[in-house]
Amino acid sequence: MNQARNQQRTDRIVSAPIGNDGADNHDDYPTETLFEQIAYKKLPLINNIVIIGRLRDTWDKQPELGDYYQNYISSLPSILEKTLDTRECLTPGGNTVPPVTGLLLIFPTLFIHSLEVTDPAMKLILEDLNQSINNRENGLIREASILNISYNIHTRTYPNWTFKSIKLAVEDLDAQPAESIEALSLEVLGKLLRLAKYQLDERRTNERPVDILANVDQRADLLPNQANINYLLKQSMFRTAEDILKNYQRPINVRFESDLTAPPTHRLFPITF
């Protein structure tokens, strides 16, 4: 019995690649990021990400930002086909859906972007957002923060991607709200859900295709408060597009020094401080 156990233990030991000097070569150990792992396995994940931001210029950039994202999101299927070969993603129900659906609301100085995206499409959108912020001459966006990310959602709220320019200005944009940051965030996200439900109800009642968001300017109960968005945008607790990209680009298969020798030269447990 002991001989069989010893034989099993010897079978588990696999010699690591040895360099010319007889030491373990750390450069030969492959590293892989989370985005590469998702692209390799082609995982059918759909995420919901809500982005709040500030335009670089007021009023003039409203239609320009909407047209830019309209063209960019329309071109994403062809970009993904060339790069990651994940043009479409399967939902749990088995239906194919476009890589991006959502709604972009553009206010005079601010915007809020609710997106339902696959992981490869989210990576491209965040890279484009970060590039627009860093491009101070031609970029349309001055600053932006990630208000919320929900990973691996089960259903989509929007059937396609649309945008709407809101001409409703606010007298005191820098007003100090009395609610907490958590309460303000929930209020903004709740308004987005109400607006999505309003769009769904309008599509069901109108048999012919109409502009559902044509009169949404008059529905203040459906629009997120611009003063609250402006206040949340100033909070440093929310991550930026650059922060999310750094998290996804870190290697996920880190090799520790204790993995290079068997048995280890020192005790690993219990950990003492």
Side-chain angles (χ1 to χ4, degrees), residues 142-156:
R142 182 186 302 274
E143 58 179 332
S145 299
I146 311 300
L147 184 62
N148 183 67
I149 296 184
S150 301
Y151 295 98
N152 194 17
I153 60 177
H154 298 288
T155 57
R156 288 190 183 240

Side-chain angles (χ1 to χ4, degrees), residues 125-247:
I125 291 176
L126 291 178
E127 288 176 344
D128 180 78
L129 174 63
N130 194 40
Q131 182 180 2
S132 178
I133 295 174
N134 295 330
N135 187 358
R136 297 184 178 181
E137 295 183 1
N138 301 320
L140 301 176
I141 299 173
R142 182 186 302 274
E143 58 179 332
S145 299
I146 311 300
L147 184 62
N148 183 67
I149 296 184
S150 301
Y151 295 98
N152 194 17
I153 60 177
H154 298 288
T155 57
R156 288 190 183 240
T157 308
Y158 306 95
N160 51 20
W161 184 91
T162 55
F163 76 94
K164 175 65 177 177
S165 297
I166 308 296
K167 303 297 184 181
L168 183 63
V170 179
E171 295 182 0
D172 189 6
L173 191 62
D174 295 323
Q176 186 77 12
E179 296 84 355
S180 64
I181 297 178
E182 181 181 359
L184 295 177
S185 303
L186 292 177
E187 187 269 341
V188 172
L189 296 175
K191 287 292 185 67
L192 290 177
L193 290 177
R194 291 181 187 177
L195 185 56
K197 185 179 183 302
Y198 168 78
Q199 292 180 266
L200 178 62
D201 294 340
E202 289 294 317
R203 281 192 296 268
R204 289 176 177 175
T205 55
N206 295 286
E207 299 180 356
R208 298 180 180 180
V210 294
D211 186 5
I212 299 175
L213 299 175
N215 300 322
V216 76
D217 306 57
Q218 305 172 5
R219 296 293 305 272
D221 58 315
L222 299 177
L223 296 177
N225 190 297
Q226 298 180 53
N228 293 344
I229 297 176
N230 183 65
Y231 178 77
L232 294 174
L233 193 57
K234 297 178 181 179
Q235 307 305 313
S236 58
M237 64 177 296
F238 295 106
R239 293 179 293 177
T240 63
E242 185 177 4
D243 297 333
I244 302 296
L245 291 173
K246 285 181 180 179
N247 290 338

Side-chain angles (χ1 to χ4, degrees), residues 76-88:
L76 277 180
S78 59
I79 297 176
L80 292 173
E81 185 179 11
K82 295 177 182 178
T83 55
L84 298 174
D85 194 22
T86 53
R87 177 173 51 183
E88 292 182 339

